[in-house]
């Protein structure tokens, strides 16, 4: 069973495929996207615990992709993994809801740990929401 | 006023060097990230082999060859960084114009790709010019910046040649340059004054020429036959 579902977005194809293979070997379920548009399409039909997003990509850049992903799914944890070290853009990303900013080359064990933590956090969130729903139903029925 | 203009131009040169260094850093990080992951995957496969899973030698060989290729790519990036770093060594210097154009275009590869633009240097004859190398790079980069800001065109080709005995040109083809010719940004117009250079329309539609002084030595070596663009004076 997967220990976390990751949406990995980067226009560097070799990096993307190798990173995905290594993450899957560590128990994660990884979907790759080569640009922002493809990331949004993937996020439309699937649930992810975490999105690891490159900052600078052709077409829709990381900031715009982050904004749109968060609009569609405010619970999705997004971290930026980038070789582009602009402080200004990192601050902007944080303000838009990015959880973290990791510089390339990144430590895979650190990324895997973040993904597993995000997975556990989402499970807890789902559980809490279900409990809230049940409590509401019980209240409505006067129990 | 003159001091202010000089300090503005110095600031623009520093900004140019900083921005290009940032592009190089990004390129290096991308290469290092891929090398890191490929190397990590080799380690993962070796660790699995130690636990009894047969090792796929062809796969490991391919990964090692990918690493070597990315090391080569990173080395080329470092060589370009070195050229950039040594650009301010001399105020006035004889440089090969096509080489300078290719260097600046290589720094813009990534930001251009993000904006869906390509700057494509074409094969040209070798032309030497005697200029301030940083100011020349700044002028070329200002034209590229304008293209990226406008985002109206996707493919800009670049070639160099001689206008006449005393001047050479960089030709930018593939855009409507009228707006840039009318209102060149201040760092560009200031750089042109100091370079003793100018911008003008080319012979064909959508051509822009950056005309710069030739090097005297280059002139003697390369003969006196003017190329296309001679009548643009």
């Amino acid at each position: 069973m997967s220990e976390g579902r990751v949406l990995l977005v980067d226009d560097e194809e070799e990096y993307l495929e190798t990173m995905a293979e290594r993450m899957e070997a560590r128990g994660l379920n990884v979907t790759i996207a080569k640009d922002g548009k493809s990331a949004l399409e993937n996020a439309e039909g699937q649930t992810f615990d975490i999105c690891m997003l490159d900052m600078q990509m052709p077409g829709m850049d990381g900031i715009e992709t982050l904004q749109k992903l968060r609009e569609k799914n405010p619970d999705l944890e997004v971290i930026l993994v980038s070789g582009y070290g602009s402080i200004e853009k990192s601050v902007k990303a944080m303000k838009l809801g990015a959880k973290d900013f990791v510089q390339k080359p990144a430590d895979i064990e650190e990324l895997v740990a973040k993904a597993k933590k995000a997975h556990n956090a989402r499970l807890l969130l789902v559980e809490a929401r279900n409990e809230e729903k049940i409590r509401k139903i019980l209240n409505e029925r006067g129990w | 006023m003159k001091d202010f203009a000089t300090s503005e131009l110095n600031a623009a040169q520093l900004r140019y060097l900083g921005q290009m260094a940032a592009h190089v850093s990004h390129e290096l990080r991308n290469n290092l990230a891929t090398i890191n992951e490929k190397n990590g995957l080799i380690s993962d496969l070796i660790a699995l082999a130690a636990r009894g899973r047969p090792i796929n030698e062809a796969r490991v060989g391919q990964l090692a060859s990918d690493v070597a290729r990315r090391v080569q790519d990173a080395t080329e990036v470092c060589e370009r960084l070195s050229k950039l770093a040594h650009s301010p060594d001399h105020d006035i210097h004889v440089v090969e114009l096509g080489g300078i154009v290719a260097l600046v275009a290589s720094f813009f590869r990534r930001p251009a790709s993000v904006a869906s633009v390509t700057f494509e240097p074409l094969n040209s004859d070798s032309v030497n010019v005697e200029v301030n190398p940083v100011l020349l790079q700044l002028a070329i980069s200002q034209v590229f910046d304008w293209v990226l800001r406008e985002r109206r065109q996707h493919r800009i080709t670049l070639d160099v040649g001689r206008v006449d005995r005393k001047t050479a040109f960089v030709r930018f083809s593939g855009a409507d340059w009228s707006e840039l010719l009318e209102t060149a940004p201040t760092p560009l117009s200031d750089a042109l004054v100091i370079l003793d250079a100018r911008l003008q329309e080319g012979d064909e539609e959508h051509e822009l020429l950056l005309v710069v002084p030739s090097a005297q030595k280059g002139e003697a070596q390369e003969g006196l036959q003017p190329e296309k663009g001679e009548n643009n004076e």
Side-chain angles (χ1 to χ4, degrees):
Chain A
M1 189 178 161
S2 161
E3 295 172 67
R5 285 185 59 89
V6 180
L7 177 58
L8 193 58
V9 192
D10 201 302
D11 65 321
E12 278 274 328
E13 208 168 326
E14 273 190 283
Y15 170 80
L16 194 63
E17 286 169 0
T18 316
M19 180 62 100
E21 185 174 349
R22 297 191 71 205
M23 283 184 168
E24 285 185 341
R26 285 160 175 76
L28 300 175
N29 186 326
V30 183
T31 299
I32 58 174
K34 290 174 197 165
D35 53 37
K37 186 169 170 272
S38 163
L40 291 174
E41 283 166 4
N42 275 294
E44 193 78 50
Q46 299 176 66
T47 305
F48 294 100
D49 298 308
I50 194 166
C51 173
M52 296 179 183
L53 186 61
D54 187 19
M55 187 88 94
Q56 229 186 20
M57 295 181 291
M60 197 186 299
D61 71 1
I63 295 285
E64 193 183 346
T65 309
L66 163 69
Q67 208 162 5
K68 292 190 170 165
L69 280 170
R70 297 276 302 170
E71 275 168 18
K72 285 186 178 183
N73 187 352
D75 292 338
L76 178 65
E77 194 166 299
V78 180
I79 63 171
L80 290 151
V81 183
S82 183
Y84 186 73
S86 150
I87 293 171
E88 198 182 318
K89 282 213 170 177
S90 313
V91 170
K92 193 173 176 187
M94 293 300 185
K95 283 183 180 168
L96 287 169
K99 184 97 174 174
D100 206 349
F101 181 88
V102 178
Q103 282 260 349
K104 281 182 184 172
D107 175 8
I108 190 156
E109 307 305 345
E110 184 191 338
L111 295 180
V112 169
K114 284 180 192 296
K116 290 182 179 176
K117 198 175 163 191
H119 176 63
N120 291 334
R122 197 180 61 79
L123 290 182
L124 286 172
L125 186 71
V126 169
E127 202 177 300
R129 281 184 182 158
N130 285 342
E131 273 180 24
E132 184 59 34
K133 278 181 199 165
I134 292 167
R135 199 172 296 126
K136 201 177 168 190
I137 291 168
L138 293 176
N139 279 341
E140 281 169 4
R141 293 180 186 175
W143 290 353
Chain B
M1 194 65 193
K2 192 183 166 192
D3 287 348
F4 178 72
T6 307
S7 79
E8 284 289 292
L9 190 57
N10 286 342
Q13 289 181 76
L14 279 175
R15 241 185 341 264
Y16 163 75
L17 292 170
Q19 281 167 357
M20 296 310 108
H23 292 324
V24 169
S25 160
H26 190 207
E27 271 191 79
L28 279 176
R29 279 189 184 280
N30 273 337
N31 278 305
L32 288 173
T34 303
I35 289 167
N36 190 46
E37 293 318 314
K38 299 263 178 190
N39 181 54
L41 187 51
I42 293 172
S43 299
D44 288 354
L45 293 173
I46 290 170
L48 286 171
R51 280 185 259 153
R53 186 169 130 176
I55 201 156
N56 181 337
E57 285 171 13
R59 180 88 206 278
V60 174
Q62 181 58 53
L63 287 167
S65 142
D66 291 345
V67 168
R69 178 171 43 79
R70 296 303 289 244
V71 167
Q72 182 58 39
D73 289 349
T75 306
E76 283 166 18
V77 176
C78 289
E79 279 164 13
R80 285 190 274 124
L81 176 61
S82 174
K83 283 182 189 169
L84 177 75
H86 286 292
S87 300
D89 286 355
H90 308 278
D91 283 344
I92 301 290
H93 196 53
V94 176
V95 291
E96 204 281 300
L97 190 54
I100 293 283
V101 170
L103 181 69
V104 183
S106 73
F107 294 137
F108 271 78
R109 202 174 295 142
R110 180 81 189 173
S113 150
V114 168
S116 304
V117 173
T118 54
F119 296 114
E120 193 181 320
L122 305 175
N123 286 331
S124 307
D125 291 336
S126 175
V127 178
N128 289 345
V129 291
E130 193 165 12
V131 290
N132 177 318
V134 181
L135 276 180
L136 178 59
Q137 290 177 46
L138 173 66
I140 295 167
S141 77
Q142 288 282 315
V143 176
F144 288 174
D145 274 334
W146 180 84
V147 171
L148 296 186
R149 274 198 305 274
E150 293 298 306
R151 288 196 177 202
R152 286 186 204 152
Q153 46 284 314
H154 301 293
R155 181 173 175 262
I156 304 296
T157 59
L158 311 154
D159 64 328
V160 302
R162 287 188 170 282
V163 178
D164 54 28
R165 292 178 61 177
K166 291 183 177 171
T167 53
F169 66 81
V170 180
R171 179 165 37 215
F172 305 80
S173 309
D176 177 358
W177 305 100
S178 49
E179 219 171 285
L180 178 68
L181 284 163
E182 277 167 27
T183 51
T186 311
L188 175 56
S189 48
D190 287 353
L192 293 177
V193 171
I194 303 202
L195 285 166
D196 196 18
R198 64 182 185 276
L199 287 178
Q200 63 185 51
E201 285 178 1
D203 285 349
E204 305 290 331
E205 200 185 12
H206 293 160
E207 280 183 2
L208 174 76
L209 298 184
L210 167 61
V211 181
V212 290
S214 295
Q216 296 307 307
K217 281 181 185 171
E219 218 171 67
Q221 285 165 358
E222 290 169 37
L224 304 177
Q225 286 300 312
E227 294 183 9
K228 188 179 173 185
E230 183 185 21
N231 298 328
N232 290 327
E233 283 266 278

